[in-house]
Amino acid sequence: MIVAPVLAVGPTPALAAKPKKPPATKPKVEAEPAPDLAPDAPKPKTEKARLEIAACPPEDLAQLEAAALVTFLEKRCRNLKVPETSAPTEIADDEMLVALCTRKGDSGREAIEPKECGLEASVHVDSGKTLKLGADCDLALALRTAKLGRDAALSNGTTMTLVVAGAEKAIVEDKPVRSPLVWRRPFEAYGNGRVVWFPLPMFTTDLSSSPGGYRIGVTPVAVALGWKWFPSGSSRGYVGASAFAAWNLLVPNDTQTLSNGTTVRINYQALGAGLLLDASGWFAIGAGVGRTFTTDSRTDFRMWLYFGPRLLSGLNEL
């Protein structure tokens, strides 16, 4: 009897299911702390501007670039940035006052726009008038002295102060810059530049005398054409010379008979003309000829005496 081998029924080792591996777990990586961000680098400080003021020939500054404008001030202008205790700088009516702010640039010092430094400038006349410097171009403030003299009615020897200032944190200067100035005009016409003036009143005489007295008279109407010469730039004293014509009321030293036969003691038919020399508005002395048109018609040498406004105003204060 054949006994068949009994095969155990079951999975073969080859066919047996493989054990499942546990899922691989990724190692936890601890997050590195974020590096501290470096602080922002400090911004470079902007250099403070410097104020510059000068008296220059009158030119169109708009044609000059920033660096060329500074060169123009250095080579062709007179520096007005002086100590306040300095003697006043003489200025005339053919110049231009210029104020600007400068800062170091790639090609040396350069002018910057006035609004960057808060630039302001003005001229304060001792008589109380104030004129501001205006924008002559994008980089500077300016005022022509011809306009200053006209608008402020300046005469020789008038003192004034140019005051320039900027924003406190934008400029080097810690206070406004003040520059003393004095108006210089060697020659000046009478009548505020109109040449014509009226030397009134005047007294006249032909220096003759008789038992009846001297021939004297009053000049109620006179017109003159003249100029003043100022020897000193710091004084209002002057010497004036004028040609004049006058109508005279004469008080003769004897009775005069007019052409109509009327006998009078005052002769109003008299004219005269000559040269008048004025001493600083105190008084003036004239010399010339006079002509009368009465029965005593004559032409003679005459002298005139004029009392000026300075003398008369001084008498009023006594």
Side-chain angles (χ1 to χ4, degrees):
M1 179 170 136
I2 301 171
V3 180
V6 179
L7 298 175
V9 180
T12 62
L15 297 175
K18 294 181 179 180
K20 293 181 179 180
K21 293 181 179 180
T25 58
K26 294 182 180 180
K28 292 183 178 180
V29 180
E30 295 182 2
E32 295 181 1
D36 295 335
L37 296 177
D40 294 338
K43 295 181 180 180
K45 292 183 178 180
T46 303
E47 179 191 359
K48 288 187 176 182
R50 191 170 67 191
L51 299 178
E52 302 291 348
I53 51 177
C56 305
E59 292 195 8
D60 185 5
L61 302 181
Q63 304 298 325
L64 302 176
E65 297 180 352
L69 186 55
V70 177
T71 302
F72 172 74
L73 256 69
E74 293 175 346
K75 294 186 176 181
R76 299 194 56 195
C77 303
R78 293 184 295 152
N79 179 30
L80 297 179
K81 195 174 181 181
V82 297
E84 295 183 24
T85 56
S86 301
T89 302
E90 292 184 359
I91 59 171
D93 58 2
D94 57 351
E95 297 180 278
M96 178 170 64
L97 302 177
V98 178
L100 50 81
C101 293
T102 64
R103 185 181 292 151
K104 189 175 181 182
D106 297 335
S107 57
R109 297 205 69 83
E110 298 178 348
I112 63 174
E113 293 187 5
K115 63 182 180 181
E116 291 188 39
C117 62
L119 182 63
E120 293 183 350
S122 56
V123 178
H124 300 265
V125 184
D126 286 357
S127 61
K129 190 81 172 179
T130 298
L131 279 79
K132 289 187 175 181
L133 277 68
D136 191 76
C137 63
D138 293 337
L139 301 174
L141 303 180
L143 174 64
R144 295 181 182 265
T145 52
K147 174 179 174 58
L148 173 63
R150 181 179 64 253
D151 293 354
L154 301 180
S155 59
N156 185 78
T158 301
T159 54
M160 64 201 86
T161 304
L162 173 59
V163 181
V164 183
E168 182 178 353
K169 297 182 180 180
I171 60 172
V172 175
E173 290 77 9
D174 57 355
K175 61 180 181 178
V177 176
R178 299 177 180 272
S179 180
L181 305 173
V182 62
W183 186 255
R184 176 60 170 148
R185 182 179 286 170
F187 295 95
E188 180 179 293
Y190 278 89
N192 295 324
R194 293 187 295 270
V195 182
V196 179
W197 67 293
F198 302 94
L200 301 174
M202 290 196 292
F203 297 93
T204 182
T205 178
D206 62 1
L207 302 179
S208 65
S209 64
S210 72
Y214 286 91
R215 286 194 178 100
I216 61 173
V218 178
T219 301
V221 177
V223 60
L225 305 175
W227 287 80
K228 304 173 184 177
W229 174 61
F230 296 87
S232 171
S234 59
S235 172
R236 298 191 182 186
Y238 66 87
V239 176
S242 304
F244 74 95
W247 171 51
N248 304 310
L249 293 177
L250 303 181
V251 181
N253 55 2
D254 54 2
T255 302
Q256 298 292 305
T257 303
L258 304 184
S259 57
N260 62 3
T262 304
T263 300
V264 297
R265 288 288 298 170
I266 296 179
N267 183 355
Y268 59 86
Q269 299 186 26
L271 300 177
L275 179 66
L276 192 66
L277 298 179
D278 179 18
S280 293
W282 291 97
F283 64 90
I285 296 178
V289 295
R291 172 74 178 176
T292 57
F293 299 91
T294 62
T295 53
D296 184 28
S297 178
R298 56 189 292 177
T299 300
D300 51 18
F301 172 80
R302 303 199 70 84
M303 298 286 292
W304 281 264
L305 180 62
Y306 166 66
F307 297 110
R310 298 181 69 180
L311 178 62
L312 295 178
S313 63
L315 294 176
N316 289 335
E317 295 177 359
L318 294 178

